[in-house]
Amino acid sequence: MAEKNKLQKNNFQKGSGTIILGIETSCDDTCAAVVKNGREILSNVISSQNEIHEKYGGVVPEIASRKHIEMIDIVIGEALFKAGIAPEKINMVAVTNRPGLLGSLLVGVGAAKAFSYYNQIPLIAINHLKAHIFANILANNEINFDIPDKYISLIVSGGHSSLYIVDENLTIKEIGHTVDDAVGEAFDKIARYLNLGYPGGPVIDRISKKADPHFIEFTRPMLESGDFNFSFSGIKTALIYRTKKYPELMKEENIPNLTASFQAAAVDVLIQKTIRACVKYKISKVLVSGGVAANSRLREEFMAAGDKHKIKIYIPPINLCMDNAAMVASLGYFEFRKGHLSNPDIDVYSRTDF
Amino acid sequence: MKLEILTSSPEDTKRIGRSLSQLLSQGDIIFFLGELGGGKTTFISGTAEGLNIKGNVTSPSFTLINIYDFVKGGIKTRLVHCDLYRIDSFKDIPDIGIEEYIYDTKSVVFVEWGCFLKEKISRDYLEIKFEYFFEDLDAEDNPEAMNQKRKIIFSAENSYWKQKLELLKSMKLF
């Protein structure tokens, strides 16, 4: 009886809004956040493992999950502290349970289950990719899923490069995906090939800024494929092939021009296909998200293309493009409002369909 | 023993991979060497198709290991596809938690970039190396078409794989 009363008290706090704890451990960042009513970020804590994985030029799954175990309690505690919210004032826990590295996901989901059970509050299992889309909601009040509407959504990261249609019921339909490397993965591989370090995206972004994006006009793979799929392996191969055939391209002064040309080709394909999807499905709003959405050229070119085609482009601020738990908590709120609660025995999944 | 095959497109490379799938059995381990973009993943996706593995086979450069189930000759087995591109030395192997997969003799194991491992593992292995093919110099003006050509070199030092390579040689590949 006492437990039941507690549950009711927590779920129906009149006037104070719904406060959700979000937990995200799908890859190498340990994240927790407290978000009010799906839109107001009270805290957003991220413990990055970049330094640990740098040695390997990328995430090592086994090491990532061990680090999550060390950090998860600290990060959740920090998120509550920064938000100024006592654990018993949390109304719900939202946690990423798919897709991602299984060992990493398990740590976050384990913590979320414990928190929800101890405080007798509901648990909501969150799709990581869908949460990336919702980073846009946190960043922009214009986006309103209470009214019928459709959006084209592009998710670009180290693990994904896909196009979706999203509607007000939070239904997500995939219309295209990469057939080989994710765009972020191609950035990492090029960076490593050119000895630029890890992670590749930010380095290439930085050194390409003052360089010539037309130094080499690389192939734009699958631009005319007639579907909304992508291929980034081809651009990577074209770059490597050139440098093998013309070794002088590897001289230090040419490297920024090479990366700028590569980046231009990758960004160009992403934008053109997104715009074409808008035209085909007669949708005039685009939600861009994922780690590669932090790329400065992608952001600028997308905005320019949006202006040209009269399409409204939404891209979250850079801190919300990266993996974070605020987006998880936000989506949790909207899933809850649609009645999508989870059982306490949720599992984790490395891949997923929506 | 060495077997060299020239391919002129990713489709050709995939076709060779498909042919190899017919020769595979549980416990086989193959090392894939060669440059980034050399065609390793393309080749392996062909092999996976030949093994009736459903869905897209992509490079495990992010997860280090992808595992696919398949049935061959009525026996349930799996393809373990590792990419050790980011791993530089043998001493890192226990740390990254992939030992149990690499030494799994009930699976077919494909290792990309595992040069350091090849020397340490006491198993009969096949090595497949992918090279860009530059000989055709008139293609100077059309690097996009040129960058499709590859030389695939199969090498085996043990009788088990030598026999299999003889079989591959006798197959109609294109």
Side-chain angles (χ1 to χ4, degrees):
Chain A
M1 198 60 199
E3 277 188 358
K4 199 179 166 201
N5 284 339
K6 202 172 177 187
L7 183 69
Q8 289 185 343
K9 189 186 79 199
N10 276 322
N11 282 333
F12 302 101
Q13 286 177 340
K14 276 182 192 155
S16 65
T18 306
I19 298 175
I20 301 193
L21 170 68
I23 298 174
E24 150 72 46
T25 59
S26 64
C27 188
D28 61 330
D29 293 325
T30 318
C31 317
V34 179
V35 173
K36 189 172 166 182
N37 293 335
R39 293 209 186 248
E40 191 188 334
I41 301 176
L42 303 182
S43 68
N44 189 16
V45 179
I46 299 169
S47 164
S48 162
Q49 300 181 1
N50 271 356
E51 279 168 35
I52 299 155
H53 298 282
E54 200 177 0
K55 173 183 161 212
Y56 299 101
V59 175
V60 176
E62 177 74 12
I63 295 174
S65 53
R66 274 185 249 148
K67 277 285 153 200
H68 282 309
I69 293 173
E70 287 172 27
M71 292 311 295
I72 188 73
D73 284 354
I74 301 168
V75 169
I76 292 173
E78 179 88 1
L80 293 168
F81 178 76
K82 281 200 169 154
I85 299 282
E88 60 272 18
K89 296 286 180 203
I90 297 286
N91 303 118
M92 244 169 277
V93 187
V95 62
T96 304
N97 79 326
R98 67 196 188 278
L101 303 169
L102 289 178
S104 292
L105 287 167
L106 274 171
V107 177
V109 167
K113 282 180 180 176
F115 195 96
S116 124
Y117 180 75
Y118 182 79
N119 292 295
Q120 290 294 299
I121 53 174
L123 181 65
I124 304 166
I126 295 295
N127 179 316
H128 176 77
L129 295 175
K130 204 169 170 180
H132 267 301
I133 301 175
F134 276 73
N136 279 295
I137 286 224
L138 282 167
N140 206 309
N141 285 325
E142 281 171 34
I143 305 165
N144 184 352
F145 284 113
D146 289 336
I147 48 172
D149 212 346
K150 278 198 164 65
Y151 300 84
I152 292 291
S153 166
L154 173 73
I155 303 181
V156 278
S157 69
H160 304 274
S161 304
S162 305
L163 271 169
Y164 308 91
I165 297 174
V166 187
D167 68 17
E168 72 283 0
N169 293 317
L170 316 186
T171 311
I172 295 183
K173 190 179 135 212
E174 187 187 287
I175 53 173
H177 59 262
T178 178
V179 298
D180 41 56
D181 292 354
V183 60
E185 188 179 353
F187 271 89
D188 281 344
K189 285 182 176 172
I190 289 297
R192 176 141 174 169
Y193 176 72
L194 299 172
N195 289 320
L196 300 172
Y198 166 85
V203 187
I204 288 180
D205 190 354
R206 181 165 46 80
I207 67 167
S208 301
K209 271 188 182 141
K210 287 183 185 149
D212 177 12
H214 304 291
F215 182 65
I216 297 175
E217 293 297 339
F218 283 122
T219 170
R220 267 60 170 164
M222 299 189 73
L223 204 50
E224 305 306 330
S225 61
D227 56 22
F228 296 105
N229 288 342
F230 302 106
S231 161
F232 296 101
S233 183
I235 313 176
K236 173 195 77 189
T237 306
L239 184 147
I240 293 164
Y241 176 81
R242 291 285 183 127
T243 59
K244 293 282 167 202
K245 196 166 168 77
Y246 310 105
E248 66 275 16
L249 288 175
M250 292 292 267
K251 280 188 191 152
E252 209 176 325
E253 70 262 29
N254 288 327
I255 301 289
N257 292 329
L258 274 181
T259 58
S261 303
F262 166 76
Q263 178 176 269
V267 165
D268 194 26
V269 177
L270 287 167
I271 293 177
Q272 289 215 42
K273 287 231 162 174
T274 306
I275 300 292
R276 285 183 201 182
C278 291
V279 173
K280 179 171 175 194
Y281 294 100
K282 300 189 175 58
I283 294 173
S284 62
K285 291 173 187 168
V286 174
L287 307 174
V288 183
S289 60
V292 180
N295 179 279
S296 60
R297 185 178 173 93
L298 182 99
R299 297 172 83 93
E300 284 160 22
E301 297 283 310
F302 242 125
M303 289 308 168
D307 286 345
K308 190 174 153 200
H309 296 273
K310 307 261 180 300
I311 290 167
K312 179 76 191 159
I313 309 287
Y314 296 99
I315 311 180
I318 288 169
N319 67 325
L320 292 176
C321 288
M322 306 307 179
D323 284 355
N324 67 85
M327 66 186 193
V328 174
S330 171
L331 173 57
Y333 175 78
F334 291 97
E335 294 280 19
F336 166 70
R337 290 215 350 215
K338 305 275 176 191
H340 304 161
L341 290 175
S342 310
N343 287 328
D345 61 348
I346 51 166
D347 206 346
V348 295
Y349 306 92
S350 62
R351 294 164 207 230
T352 182
D353 296 321
F354 285 106
Chain B
M1 175 182 175
K2 273 198 191 330
L3 170 63
E4 285 190 12
I5 299 173
L6 292 177
T7 64
S8 52
S9 69
E11 290 71 35
D12 272 6
T13 299
K14 222 170 162 174
R15 219 162 279 149
I16 308 290
R18 204 174 222 291
S19 306
L20 180 79
S21 73
Q22 300 178 31
L23 305 175
L24 293 176
S25 1
Q26 265 185 334
D28 283 355
I29 181 162
I30 303 181
F31 287 91
F32 293 82
L33 309 177
E35 287 294 340
L36 267 181
K40 298 182 291 294
T41 305
T42 306
F43 182 99
I44 292 170
S45 73
T47 312
E49 255 180 47
L51 295 172
N52 280 321
I53 290 169
K54 306 268 177 288
N56 219 2
V57 168
T58 52
S59 135
S61 46
F62 181 65
T63 49
L64 301 178
I65 276 197
N66 286 343
I67 292 170
Y68 307 91
D69 293 319
F70 67 95
V71 177
K72 189 165 179 176
I75 300 166
K76 267 194 182 174
T77 178
R78 55 184 194 174
L79 173 66
V80 174
H81 180 192
C82 338
D83 183 341
L84 303 183
Y85 178 58
R86 300 193 271 118
I87 311 301
D88 298 319
S89 81
F90 185 71
K91 69 173 180 9
D92 288 334
I93 292 287
D95 246 9
I96 60 178
I98 61 172
E99 250 173 332
E100 55 181 307
Y101 300 105
I102 290 172
Y103 294 103
D104 179 1
T105 52
K106 294 231 161 66
S107 299
V108 172
V109 180
F110 287 181
V111 184
E112 295 190 35
W113 298 99
C115 237
F116 60 85
L117 185 70
K118 180 179 97 175
E119 311 306 329
K120 302 270 182 181
I121 204 164
S122 54
R123 306 237 319 254
D124 286 348
Y125 63 82
L126 172 68
E127 181 185 306
I128 310 178
K129 194 169 179 197
F130 296 78
E131 287 179 356
Y132 286 82
F133 187 65
F134 292 102
E135 269 90 313
D136 185 5
L137 284 172
D138 353 326
E140 191 86 16
D141 296 335
N142 186 3
E144 297 311 341
M146 248 327 269
N147 95 41
Q148 307 257 317
K149 296 202 178 185
R150 296 291 184 276
K151 188 195 268 181
I152 307 177
I153 310 155
F154 296 79
S155 16
E157 304 291 330
N158 50 77
S159 57
Y160 176 76
W161 281 108
K162 278 180 189 166
Q163 276 175 10
K164 290 204 179 192
L165 282 189
E166 289 294 347
L167 282 171
L168 186 67
K169 224 168 152 180
S170 66
M171 287 165 76
K172 189 176 167 292
L173 295 173
F174 294 107

